[in-house]
Structure formats: structure tokens, C-alpha cells
């Protein structure tokens, strides 16, 4: 158990569609660790995406996080990111997608070092016969050129599973399980991380 960390998270998502080609997303979330570290994070992020046909989407987003970390010190993080998403339908209910992203991690009021990292995500999306239920599962890799010191979660290998239920027009509830395997050059308490996220979308 000393090698494993556990987290809880709650998030709220808002999506705006503009002429079916442009989508704006805004998200606010709160995440905390159950360990003695008392690590917590408050986040607010926004993004805009542009669809090109049915399969290709370009993405740009900015995330703002304030972290409370008794071990490494509190800090504010600003991270702009640019990426692309390619989606390929397999059947009427199943689709596979690949997302590539590059982001810049910038830290303030702390001794953290700014850095760039790349991310690659492979995901399967499944729609149940009941139109109100859907499921996503995937795996994401975080790539860094050099080891990062004084940063809690710079990179990992991440598995995710999400169940989503529409509760009325444009509104949905989601439950996500994340399993992280942290790389050894980070300042984590554990090697593995488990997160249960509850979120609301409208």
C-alpha cells in the first residue's frame, strides 16, 4: 500500500457548439489525495476545437491549476496545449481515436522548473443500445526529454475508464477511474495512483 496513492476528484464541464464545426469547452475541478501528503488541486481549464470532416479535429486549450502541496510547496500552474484528434468509426456503436498533444508547463510562486511534454492517447468509445449510456476506455503516455525534479506528477502511463449517462437534453453524469503508473524521476509518494472522478456535464 505504501507504493500506491489514492485520489478523489469532482468536475463540472460546459460545452458550447458553434455551427457544428467549432466547440468550446470549459471545465472546473477539484482533486485531492487521501494520503498523509494532504495534496490538493483546484483547476479551471478552457479549450477550443475545430472539426475537419468527420475524423479530424484540431485542439487548443489552456489549463490553470493551483496546487496545495505541503512537501514541495504551494504553486500556480499555467499550461497551454496544442493537439490533434483522429477518430475512426469501427461499427455504428464503436469507434477508436488517437490524440496527440504538446503542452508547456509553466509554474509560478514556486521553485518548479518549466518544461514541455508530449502526450499520446489511444481511446475506444462505445455506445450502448440504450442511447443514454456510453463508455470510453483508453491509455495515455506522457513523454519528457529530461527528468523533472520538484514536480509531483510530470509523467506517467495512464489507463482510464469512463461510464457516462445522459440525464436530460444536453446534461450528463460521468464516473471515471484512472490508473497511473508514475515514472521514477518524479517526486511522488507512491509508484501507482488510483483516481475516482465524478463529473457533471451540461
Amino acid at each position: 500500500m505504501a507504493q500506491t496513492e489514492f485520489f478523489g476528484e469532482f468536475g463540472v464541464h460546459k460545452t458550447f457548439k458553434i455551427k457544428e464545426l467549432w466547440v468550446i469547452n470549459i471545465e472546473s475541478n477539484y482533486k485531492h489525495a487521501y494520503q498523509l501528503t494532504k495534496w490538493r488541486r483546484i483547476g479551471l481549464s478552457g479549450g477550443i476545437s475545430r472539426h475537419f470532416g468527420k475524423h479530424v479535429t484540431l485542439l487548443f486549450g489552456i489549463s490553470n491549476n493551483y496546487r496545495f502541496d505541503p512537501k514541495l510547496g504551494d504553486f500556480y500552474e499555467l499550461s497551454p496545449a496544442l493537439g490533434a484528434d483522429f477518430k475512426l468509426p469501427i461499427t455504428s456503436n464503436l469507434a477508436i481515436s488517437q490524440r496527440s498533444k504538446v503542452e508547456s508547463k509553466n509554474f509560478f510562486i514556486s521553485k518548479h522548473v518549466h518544461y514541455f511534454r508530449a502526450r499520446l492517447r489511444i481511446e475506444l468509445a462505445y455506445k450502448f443500445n440504450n442511447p443514454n449510456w456510453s463508455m470510453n476506455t483508453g491509455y495515455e503516455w506522457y513523454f519528457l526529454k529530461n527528468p523533472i525534479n520538484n514536480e509531483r506528477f510530470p509523467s506517467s502511463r495512464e489507463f482510464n475508464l469512463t461510464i457516462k449517462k445522459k440525464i436530460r437534453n444536453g446534461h450528463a453524469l460521468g464516473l471515471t477511474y484512472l490508473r497511473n503508473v508514475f515514472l521514477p524521476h518524479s517526486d511522488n509518494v507512491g509508484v501507482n495512483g488510483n483516481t475516482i472522478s465524478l463529473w457533471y456535464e451540461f
Side-chain angles (χ1 to χ4, degrees):
M1 297 297 289
Q3 299 296 313
T4 302
E5 296 186 88
F6 295 90
F7 304 88
E9 183 178 27
F10 176 77
V12 178
H13 302 245
K14 175 63 178 175
T15 301
F16 303 91
K17 290 186 177 180
I18 305 175
K19 297 182 179 179
E20 299 299 325
L21 296 177
W22 293 88
V23 176
I24 297 175
N25 292 293
I26 299 175
E27 176 182 346
S28 177
N29 64 70
Y30 171 76
K31 185 175 181 177
H32 69 276
Y34 287 103
Q35 288 66 240
L36 296 177
T37 58
K38 300 186 183 301
W39 180 93
R40 292 167 293 153
R41 184 192 70 192
I42 298 174
L44 177 65
S45 61
I48 185 169
S49 59
R50 171 63 159 85
H51 297 290
F52 294 88
K54 297 181 179 180
H55 306 298
V56 180
T57 303
L58 293 182
L59 315 159
F60 174 75
I62 297 179
S63 62
N64 299 266
N65 293 311
Y66 191 92
R67 301 190 190 185
F68 304 87
D69 194 328
K71 178 182 176 182
L72 301 177
D74 298 351
F75 64 91
Y76 166 70
E77 171 192 337
L78 177 66
S79 302
L82 182 65
D85 194 6
F86 178 74
K87 184 177 182 180
L88 179 63
I90 299 175
T91 67
S92 59
N93 288 29
L94 183 66
I96 185 171
S97 64
Q98 174 183 308
R99 175 172 295 183
S100 303
K101 185 184 294 185
V102 177
E103 59 184 351
S104 173
K105 308 286 284 185
N106 304 278
F107 304 99
F108 304 92
I109 62 173
S110 74
K111 297 180 180 180
H112 290 59
V113 178
H114 306 313
Y115 63 89
F116 288 89
R117 71 179 180 185
R119 300 168 60 171
L120 176 63
R121 177 185 178 94
I122 305 295
E123 184 175 89
L124 284 173
Y126 180 75
K127 294 181 180 179
F128 295 96
N129 292 329
N130 186 329
N132 292 326
W133 288 88
S134 61
M135 179 180 71
N136 292 64
T137 184
Y139 204 83
E140 186 165 11
W141 294 262
Y142 294 76
F143 300 99
L144 294 173
K145 183 177 181 180
N146 298 309
I148 302 298
N149 296 321
N150 295 323
E151 164 64 324
R152 182 80 74 182
F153 309 108
S155 61
S156 70
R157 305 292 182 259
E158 180 180 282
F159 165 79
N160 72 88
L161 175 65
T162 296
I163 301 294
K164 179 179 176 181
K165 184 183 188 303
K166 295 180 181 179
I167 53 178
R168 60 176 184 269
N169 186 29
H171 296 246
L173 287 174
L175 181 66
T176 299
Y177 168 72
L178 297 177
R179 170 72 173 181
N180 294 88
V181 178
F182 301 118
L183 299 187
H185 56 65
S186 57
D187 290 321
N188 294 334
V189 175
V191 176
N192 304 306
N194 298 277
T195 303
I196 298 296
S197 302
L198 177 65
W199 50 274
Y200 176 73
E201 182 181 89
F202 65 101

